Amino acid sequence: MRRRFLSNPLNINKLLIRLALSGLLILLAGCDRQSSDNQFADYADRLASVLAVSAPKEPDTRIPPLPEVGDMLQRTEDVRMGLFDAYELRKCGLFHLIAERNSVLGKVQDRTRQLRYELLLLDGIGHCIATLPEDDNVRAQLIEVQTTKQDDLSKYLWNMLLTGEEWQKQFKPSHAAFSLGTIPDATATLQAMSGLAHIASQISARHSVSAQSAERLLSYEENIHTSRYLGQLFYSMARATDWLNTTTALLSQNDATVVCGPNRNQQKANFLENVFYKFFVTDIQPYLANLDARYQDIQPDLQALFAIPNRPAALADYHSFYIDGDIHRQFRDATLNHVSYWQTLFKRCGINVGQP
């Protein structure tokens, strides 16, 4: 039988498919066990079991969305210099830049390349104004163009961040939390936000942005292409906040059933302590500390970036929650309230913290 089975190509294919599916199921099960959402649910379930009550319902996490593109896209003045004028400026290094912008491909640039062009153009115009004679007619024209372009520069940056495809995906809140022990590397996102924050500060001060900084925009966009780190960080914090509040409420509402004191059976308190150490201290607390640190790492650059002029009015709720830090304050409060409950319980029951 064995020889007949292995000699049949159809049977071999079926066997391979079964093995592949089995491996996939094992992999998915492993990922599922590492899910922070599942760990919070297991924690709540075990606490409810000790308290002899029903497990709480999974929280419904609702957070401000990134507004629609139509509510954030800003109109900019279409001020272009013709090729004839650009030719006159060839000694300033602007001819090829403007010719590229006026080409067929230049007219369909994405938001990142549009901002890059505006920054390079302003850098070149500044150089031209500094080198052309004061009575040159082209110099006077350039000063007018420079003023208009500088007024619109923050709009180009906002349009890139909020309506550019890759950047919008980064800022849009996710609906999947990080896995418990595998929060992805944030180096590329941190570098991109730091670089953009520097550009934003220069724009706000109406200072020239160097050509080198403008060119880095393309690498920033490329480096974040496969990552949705920022949106996932936001959701992970909000999700953890909701789970902590749910679990703290479960404990507080049933606190009176936890008997403690001399000559009393405080078995329930001891069981709760075991759950606390097994789930919260071992896995959840380090995860919360990691989320807290990750947000604090990136928030200063986000605040600098979102401080530029012409911020869309539709962004008010998003800005207050994610950038100003309401999400972090709620996260911190939920963490402190949860820890505070355990401190109070352990003190009431004479349990020494750190000695499960």
Side-chain angles (χ1 to χ4, degrees), residues 308-352:
I308 59 174
N310 296 310
R311 186 169 66 230
L315 204 63
D317 290 343
Y318 182 98
H319 184 269
S320 295
F321 193 67
Y322 301 110
I323 311 304
D324 273 353
D326 285 351
I327 187 175
H328 188 234
R329 284 185 285 274
Q330 293 176 18
F331 174 81
R332 279 281 185 89
D333 287 345
T335 303
L336 292 174
N337 289 339
H338 191 73
V339 171
S340 178
Y341 171 83
W342 284 112
Q343 290 174 334
T344 301
L345 176 67
F346 292 158
K347 183 177 181 180
R348 177 165 70 87
C349 296
I351 297 173
N352 294 321

Side-chain angles (χ1 to χ4, degrees), residues 24-67:
L24 179 60
L25 290 173
I26 292 170
L27 178 62
L28 290 175
C31 292
D32 194 51
R33 285 195 296 271
Q34 292 300 314
S35 166
S36 59
D37 216 52
N38 280 2
Q39 192 73 358
F40 276 112
D42 289 345
Y43 179 46
D45 288 348
R46 292 293 292 274
L47 291 174
S49 178
V50 173
L51 294 168
V53 297
S54 298
K57 292 182 179 179
E58 179 179 317
D60 181 15
T61 299
R62 299 185 181 185
I63 52 180
L66 186 68

Side-chain angles (χ1 to χ4, degrees), residues 49-325:
S49 178
V50 173
L51 294 168
V53 297
S54 298
K57 292 182 179 179
E58 179 179 317
D60 181 15
T61 299
R62 299 185 181 185
I63 52 180
L66 186 68
E68 296 296 325
V69 170
D71 296 326
M72 297 186 293
L73 184 62
Q74 301 192 50
R75 182 179 177 276
T76 55
E77 293 294 327
D78 189 15
V79 179
R80 296 190 187 185
M81 300 189 67
L83 286 178
F84 176 78
D85 295 327
Y87 184 75
E88 294 296 319
L89 299 173
R90 62 193 180 281
K91 292 183 179 179
C92 298
L94 290 179
F95 176 74
H96 291 295
L97 179 65
I98 296 174
E100 176 186 327
R101 177 67 177 87
N102 289 332
S103 69
V104 174
L105 291 177
K107 293 177 181 179
V108 292
Q109 289 178 331
D110 65 17
R111 302 295 183 194
T112 303
R113 284 165 177 77
Q114 286 177 9
L115 176 60
R116 167 187 168 273
Y117 168 78
E118 297 297 325
L119 293 174
L120 291 174
L121 181 64
L122 274 171
D123 183 59
I125 287 175
H127 174 68
C128 286
I129 291 173
T131 56
L132 290 172
E134 290 191 6
D135 59 352
D136 192 300
N137 290 332
V138 174
R139 184 178 187 275
Q141 180 187 358
L142 282 176
I143 292 175
E144 292 181 11
V145 172
Q146 182 186 51
T147 300
T148 302
K149 290 291 186 182
Q150 282 183 330
D151 291 342
D152 274 356
L153 207 50
S154 61
K155 296 179 182 178
Y156 280 103
L157 180 51
W158 281 122
N159 285 345
M160 183 193 80
L161 294 176
L162 304 177
T163 71
E165 182 179 359
E166 296 305 326
W167 296 103
Q168 189 189 45
K169 289 177 181 177
Q170 184 71 212
F171 285 102
K172 186 176 293 185
S174 171
H175 289 286
F178 290 133
S179 295
L180 206 62
T182 55
I183 296 180
D185 181 71
T187 302
T189 303
L190 288 170
Q191 289 177 346
M193 295 305 156
S194 177
L196 291 178
H198 173 71
I199 290 174
S201 66
Q202 296 296 96
I203 290 175
S204 296
R206 298 182 75 85
H207 293 162
S208 176
V209 177
S210 69
Q212 291 86 349
S213 293
E215 293 292 359
R216 289 192 193 107
L217 286 171
L218 302 182
S219 63
Y220 295 152
E221 182 183 48
E222 181 181 354
N223 291 339
I224 67 158
H225 175 72
T226 58
S227 169
R228 300 294 176 263
Y229 172 81
L230 194 57
Q232 199 170 6
L233 174 64
F234 290 158
Y235 181 79
S236 298
M237 292 176 65
R239 190 65 176 160
T241 298
D242 286 346
W243 269 116
L244 286 169
N245 288 336
T246 296
T247 311
T248 304
L250 169 70
L251 291 164
S252 299
Q253 291 164 7
N254 295 280
D255 184 68
T257 69
V258 183
V259 178
C260 292
N263 302 319
R264 306 192 71 179
N265 183 354
Q266 58 180 55
Q267 186 181 51
K268 185 179 288 188
N270 293 332
F271 285 165
L272 287 175
E273 180 193 10
N274 289 336
V275 175
F276 170 73
Y277 279 100
K278 181 177 180 180
F279 288 89
F280 187 78
V281 173
T282 302
D283 294 321
I284 294 176
Q285 191 173 46
Y287 174 73
L288 298 176
N290 203 349
L291 291 180
D292 186 75
R294 294 297 188 96
Y295 182 81
Q296 291 189 80
D297 283 343
I298 205 166
Q299 188 194 21
D301 286 331
L302 292 177
Q303 289 181 322
L305 180 56
F306 278 66
I308 59 174
N310 296 310
R311 186 169 66 230
L315 204 63
D317 290 343
Y318 182 98
H319 184 269
S320 295
F321 193 67
Y322 301 110
I323 311 304
D324 273 353

